Amino acid sequence: MLEWLLALCFVILVVSIWPGSKYFCTESQRDALLQRFGILQQVAKGKTEKCVSEREGSDDAQSACVGALTGEKQRTVALICKPSALANYLLKHCWTFSNYSPCVGWTWRASAFLQSVYEACWPYESPVQFVRDNLQLSDDGVVALDWAVPSYQKRRRTSSHSTSPVLLIIPNSFGKITRNVLKLCEMALSHGYLPVVFNRRNHNSCPLTTVKLQQFGDPADLREAVRYIRYRQPAGRLYAVSESSGSGLLLSYLGECGSSSYVTAAVCLSPVFRCQSWFESGLCWPLQGALVLYQKICLSRYRTVLAETLQTDTLFSSHSLRGLEEALFCQPGYPDSTPAAPTGNDCSSNTSITWDAYWEHNEPLRDVDEVAIPVLSVCAKDDPIRGDAQSTVPLELFETNPHFFLLLTDRGGHCGFSTQSEGNDAGAVGAVGSVAASNRGMESHGINWSHRASLEFFRATTDFFNAEERAKQLASRRRGLGGAAGGRFFRHRSVSTCKRVPACSHNIHAIYSWQRSYTR
């Protein structure tokens, strides 16, 4: 016990002294002291601001190393993707990709572990409020959609005729609403988006009305939620952002739905790609113990009803993420059989699946070839949650699939990506005013770099698709004019109008009128 108290005192001492140490010693002294203790600062020095190179051993891979100069030291961000017209457009128009200067030196924000814990656990007084929609699903289960609105806004509901884009935010798989999610909602509002947070069953005070929880990669509930969002906001584009382990649900949804996902573009912030191995390897004991305890607290409210169908003794005595996941969705000890996995852990059934069979139906990358929209993944090499980038990030996916893009930074931690401007300014924006005023205020305070990169990615992909559509229409008109030179021709025009059918909440019916005209 005494050893733990001494260790805790040492950690508190280091955290307290670290921010102020820059005032007591020069930079050269700090570097010498770091080298004495074996702490090496990995800094890439150079004079160039931008370099585009290909990864060794792959002719189809494109890696853009964008250097952001900070004094004499250069930080690099690598954009890894397959060469395409969209990739070239992103390199040209996404200035945020080349403007990342992480915190360095003797500050707690330079520590990947500390900034990851800070973004996940530290409270945040956000000026954003939420209006909840409890959505009843087809199996009588309930999920919650929290619509973010500014605190000054008197009208709490958004008109269904609004053309503002909708930003669907999927938090981590444990249901914890972090500072990262709140700051993303705040920034999205200032840029004209309608943010909505998706809460799974029993997450974030969402009631559990059935003895069925959502499996890690089962997109059935998310599919119904997207239908409801499209019904409520039919005129706005839909974008999606996932955080941490919540990216597994988003990637599963995009893979299963393919081109019918209704999503224009998506971003995964510090995603976990190889989830089975992530559960099996486990985290360091403080983080894993905290996550397991948090899940047990959320499930303890329904312990009595869950005891009728689950082995609650095994569930609440688990000490690892894998043990908890197996107790919820698998039944160890049964014969090794691999029946078709149900859409959720329907505890009323007697079917059981093994651990490997469970992940065959829940691994996020199982249908990755069916993804039909641009997906940007923002990762850091020093991520303490995901693990080593060489073994946990599937680089071959980004080098061969034209729909996937990877922003890989040297520093940033897990959903942290603290910048020097963010470290110099305390806190975020105090209030959300008009769109223009909010933008100026947030720029002056310094915002999360990954959030800025995400919204810039959405804007660039939308502009690219609009330009492609205009080019196709122009080429079609030119072909039509060329055919008219021969004399009489037939011109076919289509005018489509969409009419809402209030009686049905899940189906959108379109009435098409066709007009034909002859021109001599």
Side-chain angles (χ1 to χ4, degrees), residues 359-412:
W359 284 109
E360 287 181 3
H361 298 85
N362 288 275
E363 191 67 42
L365 301 181
R366 62 187 184 277
D367 296 320
V368 70
D369 293 335
E370 302 298 328
V371 176
I373 65 168
V375 180
L376 174 67
S377 298
V378 184
C379 302
K381 293 181 180 179
D382 62 349
D383 191 333
I385 306 297
R386 186 200 64 242
D388 179 59
Q390 295 294 332
S391 59
T392 58
V393 178
L395 296 178
E396 66 279 358
L397 170 65
F398 300 96
E399 296 168 352
T400 57
N401 194 316
H403 294 107
F404 284 85
F405 304 85
L406 173 63
L407 271 181
L408 187 62
T409 65
D410 290 336
R411 298 174 179 265

Side-chain angles (χ1 to χ4, degrees), residues 327-462:
L328 284 173
F329 304 106
C330 306
Q331 297 187 23
Y334 279 79
D336 186 11
S337 58
T338 57
T343 57
N345 67 328
D346 191 356
C347 300
S348 60
S349 61
N350 294 325
T351 59
S352 63
I353 58 176
T354 61
W355 177 252
D356 293 334
Y358 171 77
W359 284 109
E360 287 181 3
H361 298 85
N362 288 275
E363 191 67 42
L365 301 181
R366 62 187 184 277
D367 296 320
V368 70
D369 293 335
E370 302 298 328
V371 176
I373 65 168
V375 180
L376 174 67
S377 298
V378 184
C379 302
K381 293 181 180 179
D382 62 349
D383 191 333
I385 306 297
R386 186 200 64 242
D388 179 59
Q390 295 294 332
S391 59
T392 58
V393 178
L395 296 178
E396 66 279 358
L397 170 65
F398 300 96
E399 296 168 352
T400 57
N401 194 316
H403 294 107
F404 284 85
F405 304 85
L406 173 63
L407 271 181
L408 187 62
T409 65
D410 290 336
R411 298 174 179 265
H414 189 77
C415 297
F417 301 102
S418 297
T419 57
Q420 294 182 2
S421 60
E422 190 177 5
N424 296 331
D425 300 312
V429 187
V432 180
S434 61
V435 173
S438 298
N439 285 334
R440 291 193 298 268
M442 296 183 78
E443 288 297 334
S444 62
H445 284 78
I447 57 180
N448 191 292
W449 173 82
S450 62
H451 299 168
R452 189 190 299 114
S454 301
L455 298 185
E456 197 171 66
F457 173 75
F458 292 150
R459 176 191 56 78
T461 53
T462 303

Side-chain angles (χ1 to χ4, degrees), residues 12-90:
I12 294 176
L13 182 63
V14 170
V15 174
S16 302
I17 295 178
W18 194 315
S21 60
K22 59 183 178 181
Y23 301 104
F24 301 106
C25 58
T26 62
E27 183 178 359
S28 59
Q29 292 174 341
R30 290 197 303 266
D31 294 341
L33 184 61
L34 288 176
Q35 292 179 359
R36 285 187 61 186
F37 284 97
I39 303 175
L40 301 179
Q41 290 182 335
Q42 298 178 354
V43 178
K45 297 182 179 180
K47 298 296 184 181
T48 59
E49 294 188 17
K50 185 176 181 181
C51 65
V52 180
S53 61
E54 294 187 355
R55 187 173 179 266
E56 296 181 359
S58 178
D59 296 335
D60 297 334
Q62 175 178 350
S63 173
C65 304
V66 185
L69 292 178
T70 305
E72 297 179 353
K73 298 181 180 181
Q74 181 186 13
R75 315 297 174 198
T76 58
V77 180
L79 176 61
I80 302 175
C81 58
K82 184 177 181 179
S84 63
L86 178 57
N88 296 331
Y89 191 89
L90 294 177

